[in-house]
């Protein structure tokens, strides 16, 4: 069976949760969730473990957008 990776946003939607619900569950702001989903910031290992638990998915299956150091104008 081929490994499939999904984005943080898709994992959240598949879990039937809103950004607000995830933020509350994780004890972070909604903006933090948005930044992770858009690849502006990358969650740390403890956060990824928590996310995979909340979404009920292995963290191996979650794709993180590439973080760019390019200026966003």
């Amino acid at each position: 069976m081929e490994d499939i990776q999904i984005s943080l946003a898709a994992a959240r939607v598949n879990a039937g949760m809103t950004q607000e619900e995830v933020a509350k569950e994780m004890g972070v702001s909604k903006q933090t969730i948005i930044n992770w989903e858009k690849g502006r910031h990358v969650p740390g290992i403890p956060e990824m473990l928590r996310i995979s638990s909340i979404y009920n998915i292995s963290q191996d299956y979650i794709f993180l957008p590439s973080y760019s150091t390019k200026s966003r104008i």
Side-chain angles (χ1 to χ4, degrees), residues 38-57:
K38 292 188 179 244
R40 293 181 185 140
H41 300 284
V42 178
I45 293 171
E47 290 83 11
M48 280 302 300
L49 291 171
R50 184 74 177 125
I51 289 168
S52 66
S53 174
I54 291 169
Y55 295 166
N56 198 28
I57 185 173

Side-chain angles (χ1 to χ4, degrees), residues 2-44:
E2 185 177 323
D3 288 343
I4 298 173
Q5 290 188 321
I6 62 173
S7 70
L8 282 175
R12 175 182 51 77
V13 170
N14 286 342
M17 298 182 77
T18 66
Q19 290 170 331
E20 292 88 357
E21 291 169 332
V22 175
K24 183 176 180 181
E25 184 79 21
M26 296 213 39
V28 299
S29 71
K30 176 183 171 185
Q31 191 60 49
T32 297
I33 302 301
I34 292 168
N35 286 337
W36 289 343
E37 289 182 357
K38 292 188 179 244
R40 293 181 185 140
H41 300 284
V42 178

